[in-house]
Amino acid sequence: MSTEQHFESSFTLDRHYYLACYDETAQPLIGIKPYAKAALLCIAGLGLAAANVPAYLSYFIIGLGVIEGLSVRFNRSWWLWRQLLSKAANNTVSVTVNERGIRTHSQFVNQQWTWQQIVAIEEKPLGFVLQLDKGRQYLLKQPLSTDCQAFIRQQACLA
């Protein structure tokens, strides 16, 4: 008779966690294509200025274009800043890993994924990327014990 594997841990959604999450899961924006919306907004704002539309409207559209361009250029910082302003930032998250799946629980989020719902598990240097039917989730290795990490690797081989 085998005993059920059960691991519990907790971590804080802080700057370190969010940076690891972004660095290991974000798709890099390459080339000029990501700047298309920013350029389009700036051109539209200049067109409005040339068409004798009230100046505040054209300046507003140009300003939106500049902000959009900055959000593309400084994507990592922009994303981190938005996450740190969210209500979930700096809250403690409890993680439970067992034979049934992975459960995360905090004041604002209560999620549970069974091993059948997890399509694939990709191991990164700092964590695990869980590929689900609808989306991806990131699980940082640091708060997990080595036995827990080995158990997740074992489940990844079974998936």
Side-chain angles (χ1 to χ4, degrees), residues 31 36 50 53 61 66 70 72 80 87 92-93 107 111-112 127 137 140-142 157 159:
V53 173
I61 300 296
V66 169
L70 290 173
V72 172
L80 176 63
K87 65 182 180 181
T92 301
V93 177
Q107 182 179 357
Q111 296 177 317
Q112 184 165 349
Q137 293 290 328
L140 190 65
K141 284 183 187 176
Q142 181 210 3
C157 292

Side-chain angles (χ1 to χ4, degrees), residues 30-47:
I30 299 171
I32 197 155
K33 187 176 180 183
Y35 291 98
K37 189 189 322 181
L40 197 64
L41 284 169
C42 288
I43 290 169
L46 291 172

Side-chain angles (χ1 to χ4, degrees), residues 123-143:
E123 186 170 1
K124 300 283 189 165
L126 298 177
F128 297 99
V129 179
L130 309 175
Q131 299 283 352
L132 305 170
D133 292 331
K134 297 178 182 178
R136 303 180 326 166
Q137 293 290 328
Y138 182 75
L139 190 59
L140 190 65
K141 284 183 187 176
Q142 181 210 3

Side-chain angles (χ1 to χ4, degrees), residues 15-101:
R15 187 175 195 277
H16 170 73
Y17 173 82
Y18 287 128
L19 285 175
C21 180
Y22 182 86
D23 291 341
E24 296 198 337
T25 61
Q27 307 295 333
L29 302 172
I30 299 171
I32 197 155
K33 187 176 180 183
Y35 291 98
K37 189 189 322 181
L40 197 64
L41 284 169
C42 288
I43 290 169
L46 291 172
L48 289 173
N52 291 327
V53 173
Y56 64 86
L57 182 60
S58 61
Y59 291 146
F60 178 74
I61 300 296
I62 292 170
L64 285 177
V66 169
I67 290 172
E68 179 64 24
L70 290 173
S71 76
V72 172
R73 170 64 180 93
F74 299 105
N75 193 316
R76 182 178 188 246
S77 300
W78 196 267
W79 185 86
L80 176 63
W81 180 66
R82 286 193 331 255
Q83 300 309 310
L84 290 175
L85 288 178
S86 73
K87 65 182 180 181
N90 295 314
N91 281 303
T92 301
V93 177
S94 300
V95 179
T96 304
V97 179
N98 58 28
E99 299 287 338
R100 290 182 294 274

